[in-house]
Amino acid sequence: MRDHNFLTEMNARHLWHPMAHPGEMQATPPKVITGASDVRITDMDGHEAIDAIGGLWNVNLGYSCGPIKQAIAEQLDRLPYYSAFKGTTNDAAIALSVKLAEMFGPDGMTRAFFTSGGSDSVDTALKLARQYHRIRGEASRTKFIALRKGYHGTHWGGASVNGNPQFREPYEPLLPGCFHVPSPYAYRNPFDEDDPERLAALCLKALEAEIEMQVPSTVAAFIMEPVQGAGGVIVPHPSFMRGVREICDRHGVLLIADEVITGFGRTGDVSGSRHWGVQPDLMCLAKAITSGYFPMGAVMAGDRLAEVFEAEGYAMIGTGYTYSGHPVGCAAALACLEETERLAVWDNVRAVGPRLKAGLEGLRRHEAVGDVRAEGLMCALEIVSDRAAKTPDPAMAGRIYEATYRAGVMVRWSGTNIVMSPPLILTADDADRIVAALDEGLSAVA
Ligand SMILES: *Cc1c(COP(=O)(O)O)cnc(C)c1O
């Protein structure tokens, strides 16, 4: 199966890809990745590249994490599967719930509900938010508010709170009762405000106005990513999420933190919420929970929700997945999180992140770089064809992506953005190599 033309041909004929046009596969075939080790991947032609997107924002510990592989193999030998639906559970799932409660205790999170990925986690969190209000006798609280540019997975609930038309329009009508407010995106926003702090204040006003317009007693929850990832690494001013928390509290609205990317160290803290000094009511986790070694996710809830769900009267949680609490996923996650803590990856993020950011800032000397955004080890270059007019140029971003790959670094091309989310074990040397390859990629298309 390694012949170049054969693989390309079979891929085009039989494999439909997420977020891609099936008809494009022949003319612009995707890269066939066949191997990886540490922070590097190899394609079918033997070309090697630093994986500066870390799989898909998830391979935080790189591709050679022995303890995760071993935990998976051992769990497969001992108990490959057992369900966590009412009546049974398994020891791996229990152990992981204890570990997560310990890790996210400082965020006020004490209960874990397991899922098979981020989209599951988002839809579960939305459901639990509605159910919380219903149990408390506020069944009118059914609406959700979210940020434009937000990405919350692709299930119906997540697509409905998603803030990108590409993932919405083809599948409409979506869930009724979902509303969107401006994102604190300093480079482009409806207020033409480029000062992050003043912009945060304007976006907070817009959020509160929307809650009031909807009537607070009908709003269940506000969902946000602490740093918007797929939308182009949009980093809010530090005051933003704290302001959101205050507004939610003022109006009895739950705050759901979608930490599918920001959880487990990406921002330089264990969670993005903690990074901004906020405790959410519900937290969505997935991606780096197993560093990509097994599909897995979780929703975490704090005491405020727990008290309501666990009170007498037994409100059944009427949602879940066959693979909720999958023992192999839980064993993989437990090993991953122990390794994440042992390596204290957040310390490395705080050391290497600023160096990578400084390097990327230096790339502003290329006319095509309209904006540079980074927090911890999530970064983006926004590519424009005209700096003054900020004209998006997705085609040029695509050419930069290709040239950067040829120079030995895999980044992600997403619309007019080049985004990065490298493994958190990235060395300073490799951070420099990423910048050098982008420099080469940018020069090649100039
Ligand atoms: C990736 C992502 C999701 C969806 O996760 P899947 O595992 O792809 O279903 C949800 N929210 C955020 C913030 C994400 O980045």
Side-chain angles (χ1 to χ4, degrees), residues 53-66:
I53 185 63
L56 195 55
W57 315 84
N58 54 345
V59 185
N60 280 12
L61 301 184
Y63 295 94
S64 303
C65 187

Side-chain angles (χ1 to χ4, degrees), residues 26-339:
Q26 201 64 267
T28 51
K31 297 166 181 58
V32 181
I33 308 304
T34 52
S37 87
D38 189 35
V39 302
R40 284 168 168 75
I41 52 173
T42 311
D43 68 21
M44 64 175 171
D45 301 320
H47 180 65
E48 198 184 78
I50 295 176
D51 188 10
I53 185 63
L56 195 55
W57 315 84
N58 54 345
V59 185
N60 280 12
L61 301 184
Y63 295 94
S64 303
C65 187
I68 305 178
K69 297 183 191 183
Q70 200 182 331
I72 290 174
E74 282 173 12
Q75 187 63 46
L76 277 172
D77 269 346
R78 198 164 60 75
L79 176 72
Y81 175 74
Y82 218 82
S83 137
F85 275 45
K86 181 178 172 174
T88 55
T89 182
N90 66 73
D91 53 344
I94 298 167
L96 180 59
S97 66
V98 172
K99 179 84 221 167
L100 287 170
E102 178 194 306
M103 240 177 144
F104 293 95
D107 301 301
M109 300 288 109
T110 53
R111 308 294 198 277
F113 180 94
F114 293 121
T115 72
S116 326
S119 299
D120 288 356
S121 294
V122 168
D123 274 41
T124 301
L126 297 174
K127 284 181 168 178
L128 293 179
R130 274 195 182 172
Q131 193 178 5
Y132 163 84
H133 293 297
R134 180 174 291 264
I135 301 169
R136 290 174 62 255
E138 275 196 285
S140 62
R141 286 193 183 264
T142 60
K143 294 176 186 168
F144 300 111
I145 302 178
L147 292 177
R148 299 223 171 105
K149 294 263 168 201
Y151 185 80
H152 301 292
T154 55
H155 291 345
W156 290 109
S160 305
V161 292
N162 225 310
N164 180 336
Q166 268 189 305
F167 310 134
R168 302 173 52 85
E169 186 270 338
Y171 308 107
E172 288 177 339
L174 299 169
L175 192 68
C178 295
F179 303 91
H180 292 80
V181 292
S183 160
Y185 174 24
Y187 188 62
R188 300 177 195 275
N189 60 74
F191 311 105
D192 284 329
E193 176 58 75
D194 59 10
D195 176 74
E197 189 166 10
R198 283 200 300 266
L199 175 61
L202 289 167
C203 292
L204 289 170
K205 265 194 190 163
L207 168 61
E208 188 151 33
E210 187 64 35
I211 293 173
E212 280 163 356
M213 147 82 188
Q214 294 302 330
V215 178
S217 64
T218 70
V219 181
F222 177 71
I223 182 166
M224 67 174 279
E225 301 156 271
V227 176
Q228 292 185 304
V233 186
I234 296 169
V235 185
H237 186 265
S239 59
F240 182 69
M241 196 169 178
R242 284 196 289 273
V244 167
R245 177 73 273 183
E246 282 168 27
I247 291 169
C248 287
D249 285 343
R250 201 147 55 231
H251 298 289
V253 172
L254 294 178
L255 172 55
I256 303 172
D258 185 348
E259 299 257 11
V260 171
I261 288 177
T262 50
F264 308 108
R266 178 66 46 200
T267 63
D269 278 290
V270 174
S271 73
S273 299
R274 200 179 308 178
H275 190 63
W276 301 132
V278 168
Q279 292 197 341
D281 297 296
L282 285 156
M283 210 181 242
C284 303
L285 299 168
K287 291 201 168 99
I289 194 169
T290 64
S291 228
Y293 286 58
F294 198 90
M296 180 72 198
V299 177
M300 294 204 70
D303 288 341
R304 174 169 164 192
L305 264 84
E307 275 163 26
V308 167
F309 277 90
E310 291 167 11
E312 245 179 300
Y314 299 111
M316 182 182 86
I317 293 176
T319 188
Y321 308 95
T322 300
Y323 297 133
S324 287
H326 193 296
V328 179
C330 290
L334 187 61
C336 176
L337 302 188
E338 280 169 353
E339 204 51 14

